[in-house]
Amino acid sequence: MPRASQLDDLRTSFGEQSVAEEIRRDEVRALFDRIAPRYDLMNDLMSFGTHRLWKRKVISRALHHLQPGEAPIVDLAGGTGDLAIALRAALPGRRIIVTDPSAGMLGVARERAGDALEYLQAAGEDLPLSPASVAMVTLSFGLRNMSDPAQGLREVARVLAPGGHLVLLEFSKPDPWFAPFYGVHARHVIPRLGALVARDQGAYQYLVESIERFPARQDMAREIAAAGLELVEERAFVFGVARMQIAKKPQ
């Protein structure tokens, strides 16, 4: 019998370990609490700074698709707030809510942005927000860390107002010719950087393994459609290492 979702593998795995879903949730949350102080520096080192270029493109396309109005923007699994802070700079009058299950990550976001943003500690699968109350959801490198990513997408669809957009940035499967080179970097360089800079090799070993389990582009397009959203735009970065997918909630 086919799986209900291509994302189901992530629900009961912690890297390459098979674990109960509630254990995965607790382990992932504790992991991000630990690495929060060095998270942004590690992102710069792991991606050679290119994640900043990807996020600039995400911001540009998010602004292109954002409809006028007063409904807030939610930066889901917003971590240390880099995307939300960029949105705040571009949209000084708009409510922007950073949500994340990790108190450590939200603490760093609050230190950086103060009262310029709103903060909500919550799991992406169960947001304390009203249906159809949000103009846009941005979700950058956080979907694969949810305990139930498919439910996370359904929750995005629930809180989005009709005509609202999800702007998703996640790791993906690199082009076949580039995959061996990326594999060496991911498997051997990133965990060692984690040990040296974040003093937590295991955390970055998990992150690499979670990326490897994440579905490819076509599978993610089907997951987005299954959640009730219409894919309207996508773009690959660095030969498919990361991918932006933008989807709209039907009117």
Side-chain angles (χ1 to χ4, degrees):
M1 190 171 177
R3 288 178 180 268
S5 168
Q6 289 289 321
L7 293 165
D8 279 353
D9 265 352
L10 293 168
R11 295 179 61 178
T12 55
S13 67
F14 184 73
E16 293 183 345
Q17 304 173 52
S18 294
V19 297
E21 189 171 331
E22 60 272 18
I23 293 176
R24 169 186 163 83
R25 180 187 61 241
D26 293 344
E27 290 286 345
V28 170
R29 188 172 301 188
L31 179 156
F32 280 101
D33 284 342
R34 294 197 310 270
I35 67 175
R38 299 283 180 109
Y39 183 74
D40 292 319
L41 175 59
M42 277 296 299
N43 282 347
D44 284 337
L45 294 173
M46 290 188 302
S47 70
F48 305 103
T50 55
H51 76 104
R52 295 181 181 273
L53 301 177
W54 306 341
K55 289 173 181 174
R56 283 182 200 163
K57 187 63 178 180
V58 164
I59 294 295
S60 172
R61 299 313 297 161
L63 295 174
H64 173 80
H65 287 286
L66 182 64
Q67 299 298 311
E70 297 183 356
I73 298 170
V74 170
D75 186 24
L76 186 57
T80 59
D82 55 348
L83 211 63
I85 290 167
L87 284 167
R88 162 56 63 238
L91 299 164
R94 200 74 177 246
R95 281 182 66 205
I96 299 173
I97 305 169
V98 184
T99 76
D100 202 283
S102 165
M105 297 289 273
L106 284 179
V108 174
R110 193 184 294 275
E111 288 175 7
R112 296 176 65 192
D115 294 336
L117 302 172
E118 297 178 37
Y119 306 91
L120 180 61
Q121 186 178 354
E125 303 93 326
D126 186 19
L127 294 170
L129 298 169
S130 300
S133 63
V134 171
M136 175 173 283
V137 173
T138 57
L139 178 49
S140 171
F141 302 121
L143 183 63
R144 75 185 189 284
N145 296 313
M146 293 184 189
S147 298
D148 186 346
Q151 171 58 26
L153 288 174
R154 291 191 292 270
E155 189 69 347
V156 168
R158 182 186 71 82
V159 302
L160 276 176
H165 289 78
L166 164 66
V167 184
L168 174 67
L169 177 64
E170 257 298 355
F171 290 106
S172 189
K173 304 296 185 190
D175 294 346
W177 73 268
F178 188 65
F181 303 100
Y182 176 70
V184 169
H185 176 70
R187 278 281 175 175
H188 301 288
V189 177
I190 290 176
R192 286 171 172 78
L193 279 174
L196 180 65
V197 177
R199 301 182 181 88
D200 198 327
Q201 181 170 342
Y204 284 90
Q205 189 69 44
Y206 155 76
L207 291 173
V208 168
E209 291 165 357
S210 71
I211 291 167
E212 291 175 351
R213 286 179 177 268
F214 199 71
R217 179 188 69 82
Q218 299 91 334
D219 295 319
M220 274 309 304
R222 284 191 286 270
E223 296 293 338
I224 289 168
L229 302 171
E230 298 175 353
L231 189 64
V232 296
E233 183 178 342
E234 62 180 330
R235 174 173 173 171
F237 300 103
V238 190
F239 312 113
V241 166
R243 184 170 296 275
M244 176 181 67
Q245 292 176 301
I246 301 177
K248 180 179 180 180
K249 182 173 179 177
Q251 296 277 7

